[in-house]
Amino acid sequence: MPQGSPRGTYLEVSDSLREKIRNGKITEVLPSQSALVNEYGVSRSTIERALAALKADGVIESVQGAGWFVAGTGDRRPLVERVTDLLRGGEMKVGDRFPTEMELCQRFGASRTAVRSAIAQMEGQGLIGKGAGRGREVLTLPAGRETQTA
């Protein structure tokens, strides 16, 4: 992205993102701010201004702890609820290895900070804990799981 454009670099970034949304290259969740910083080669404040411009135009919306979404799409629940659904959905059972931070970032399109917060909340609830080595494992299943399995 060229620096010092008379039009404003943040507007060029917002126009590029708007075009990706229009063309279907971004359909639901926008990449994290750090991914956008790397993609466009600009500062975080430039990305924040570009996202704010898109939000003001009603193109995107932000959800605390979940990220930026194309307006009218996506799962708006907090990230911790969406990650906890991994345990509710029958994919995992007690004693299984819990996904790494990086795996969760990729799966949910969330920042590492948001994923760490969700993991901390799940550890606080006693759902996951330290496993063998440096990983985490499932300690217990969330309430309500019993009704979903038969």
Side-chain angles (χ1 to χ4, degrees):
M1 192 68 33
Q3 297 295 320
S5 164
R7 185 161 184 272
T9 305
Y10 81 96
L11 289 173
E12 292 179 15
V13 172
S14 69
D15 286 348
S16 173
L17 289 170
R18 186 184 316 268
E19 190 64 24
K20 287 180 179 183
I21 291 167
R22 191 174 308 134
N23 292 336
K25 292 181 181 171
I26 299 175
T27 57
E28 187 176 318
V29 181
L30 274 71
S32 68
Q33 286 188 17
S34 58
L36 292 171
V37 165
N38 291 333
E39 179 179 345
Y40 289 99
V42 296
S43 69
R44 183 173 290 275
S45 64
T46 298
I47 295 299
E48 289 171 353
R49 287 183 71 190
L51 294 172
L54 290 170
K55 182 178 181 181
D57 291 343
V59 175
I60 63 172
E61 54 194 11
S62 65
V63 177
Q64 181 76 26
W68 290 91
F69 294 84
V70 175
T73 66
D75 187 346
R76 302 299 191 266
R77 294 175 303 143
L79 183 61
V80 67
E81 288 181 29
R82 294 185 293 141
V83 175
T84 301
D85 279 351
L86 293 175
L87 304 180
R88 285 190 187 102
E91 292 180 44
M92 307 179 100
K93 58 185 183 298
V94 173
D96 283 353
R97 181 189 74 83
F98 193 74
T100 65
E101 289 177 2
M102 182 174 288
E103 291 168 339
L104 293 171
C105 288
Q106 291 171 347
R107 181 170 186 159
F108 293 99
S111 70
R112 180 159 268 172
T113 302
V115 165
R116 285 180 178 163
S117 175
I119 287 172
Q121 291 176 58
M122 292 176 74
E123 286 176 336
Q125 295 168 16
L127 298 173
I128 59 174
K130 298 292 181 190
R134 293 173 41 124
R136 291 180 179 86
E137 69 178 39
V138 178
L139 299 178
T140 189
L141 299 175
R145 165 73 190 277
E146 302 77 23
T147 61
Q148 293 181 356
T149 60

